């Protein structure tokens, strides 16, 4: 079934095909945004203005979010 979902996505789609709960993602099914963050992967990726590109699932009741670069909770 992953092949069918991939065929429906536009060529420019560079995000995951589904959230970790399995809801299919594509244009109109997610919110893409920027989240400032000072975690180590965000600082390593972009020293000035560190943060993450986030993709949030919009399926009812789902709070799944994908981060690029990956998010790490601060130690402590």
């Amino acid at each position: 079934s992953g092949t069918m979902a991939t065929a429906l996505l536009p060529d420019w789609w560079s995000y995951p095909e589904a959230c970790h709960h399995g809801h299919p993602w594509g244009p109109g099914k997610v919110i893409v945004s920027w989240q400032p963050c000072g975690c180590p992967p965000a600082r390593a990726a972009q020293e000035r203005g560190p943060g993450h590109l986030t993709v949030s699932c919009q399926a009812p009741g789902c709070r799944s979010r994908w981060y690029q670069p990956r998010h790490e909770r601060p130690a402590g």
Side-chain angles (χ1 to χ4, degrees):
S1 68
T3 314
M4 181 185 276
T6 304
L8 300 175
L9 292 173
D11 291 340
W12 53 263
W13 189 260
S14 60
Y15 314 116
E17 294 176 24
C19 76
H20 72 267
H21 296 295
H23 301 123
W25 281 4
K29 295 184 178 185
V30 297
I31 292 178
V32 178
S33 60
W34 176 260
Q35 178 179 334
C37 183
C39 78
R43 285 199 315 270
Q46 191 165 334
E47 203 171 294
R48 290 176 42 194
H52 305 276
L53 173 75
T54 65
V55 181
S56 303
C57 186
Q58 295 303 292
C62 188
R63 297 174 53 101
S64 182
R65 184 174 290 162
W66 176 81
Y67 294 87
Q68 183 63 38
R70 68 184 167 77
H71 177 64
E72 277 182 9
R73 300 220 181 271

